[in-house]
């Protein structure tokens, strides 16, 4: 598992491993962000989220929180994968999924902070998004993520990147 310890990133921003007690805040954050994206025509995640799945990810230690002044303002999840359906991998890698920034805190470069933090603490990390999410694709390339291509996934296309 990725060695991310609680860390003060800026004067008021802490990145820490999610706790079981974060479940209520986390589910609300995922649903709020998902609904906001859907309203913008971006079908990134299901709404509402599956609370049981989030609880399982919490138990597995896959979720990290962004906290500012004691308030949860974002989250990201990382898991180990040995296969990526679209790309042949030669070794197990880290997969960054479900980066969430509260709609009230978007535009404050928190996503950039997450990417930079991960560069400092880990090797190659793969990530993807719905191929129609042009804003997120621009964000990834703007943060020097390497575009690996668009690939079919179930009944839609995903864009795959490497940090």
């Amino acid at each position: 598992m990725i060695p991310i310890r609680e860390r003060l990133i800026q004067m008021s921003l802490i990145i820490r491993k999610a706790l079981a007690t974060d479940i209520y805040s986390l589910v609300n954050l995922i649903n709020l962000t998902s609904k906001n994206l859907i309203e913008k025509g971006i079908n990134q995640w299901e709404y509402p989220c599956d609370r049981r799945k989030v609880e399982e990810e919490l138990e597995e230690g896959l979720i990290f929180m962004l906290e500012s002044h004691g308030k949860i303002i974002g989250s990201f999840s990382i898991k180990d994968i040995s296969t990526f359906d679209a790309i042949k991998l030669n070794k197990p890698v880290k997969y960054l999924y479900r980066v969430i920034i509260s709609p009230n805190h978007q535009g404050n470069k928190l996503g950039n902070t997450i990417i930079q933090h991960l560069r400092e603490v880990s090797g190659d990390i793969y990530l993807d998004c719905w191929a129609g999410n042009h804003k997120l694709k621009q964000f990834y390339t703007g943060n020097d993520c390497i575009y690996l291509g668009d690939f079919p996934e179930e009944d839609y296309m995903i864009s795959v990147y490497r940090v």
Side-chain angles (χ1 to χ4, degrees):
M1 190 70 234
I2 193 163
I4 297 180
R5 294 179 294 277
E6 184 170 317
R7 180 174 174 202
L8 182 64
I9 300 297
Q10 300 168 353
M11 285 302 281
S12 63
L13 182 64
I14 294 173
I15 294 179
R16 64 170 176 81
K17 188 167 263 200
L19 307 170
T21 56
D22 291 322
I23 187 65
Y24 179 78
S25 296
L26 185 58
V27 167
N28 284 340
L29 177 66
I30 294 168
N31 286 334
L32 175 69
T33 306
S34 297
K35 186 175 179 182
N36 183 265
L37 289 171
I38 290 167
E39 289 170 356
K40 293 178 181 178
I42 300 170
N43 299 310
Q44 190 69 32
W45 303 306
E46 292 182 15
Y47 174 83
C49 72
D50 182 344
R51 180 186 172 107
R52 286 178 309 180
K53 185 174 179 181
V54 175
E55 288 173 340
E56 288 172 12
E57 292 171 358
L58 271 170
E59 289 173 13
E60 292 176 40
L62 305 177
I63 303 174
F64 299 86
M65 307 301 284
L66 277 70
E67 188 176 303
S68 179
H69 303 290
K71 183 176 179 186
I72 304 301
I73 61 170
S75 175
F76 62 93
S77 302
I78 297 176
K79 63 183 172 183
D80 294 321
I81 60 171
S82 56
T83 62
F84 205 104
D85 292 339
I87 297 174
K88 189 168 196 127
L89 300 171
N90 296 328
K91 60 181 180 176
V93 297
K94 305 289 183 200
Y95 173 58
L96 172 65
Y97 66 102
R98 205 177 53 224
V99 175
I100 304 168
I101 306 297
S102 166
N104 296 334
H105 291 86
Q106 292 175 5
N108 294 327
K109 302 202 180 277
L110 295 171
N112 304 57
T113 301
I114 292 169
I115 297 292
Q116 183 58 38
H117 174 69
L118 294 174
R119 275 196 177 100
E120 292 172 9
V121 299
S122 186
D124 285 344
I125 297 177
Y126 287 77
L127 47 106
D128 62 11
C129 66
W130 171 56
N133 191 338
H134 301 292
K135 186 175 181 179
L136 187 53
K137 290 168 66 170
Q138 287 177 338
F139 167 77
Y140 289 153
T141 56
N143 276 278
D144 299 324
C145 297
I146 300 165
Y147 172 69
L148 301 174
D150 287 347
F151 303 91
E153 170 112 358
E154 297 178 16
D155 60 345
Y156 58 96
M157 297 291 286
I158 61 168
S159 298
V160 178
Y161 295 82
R162 186 176 69 231
V163 175

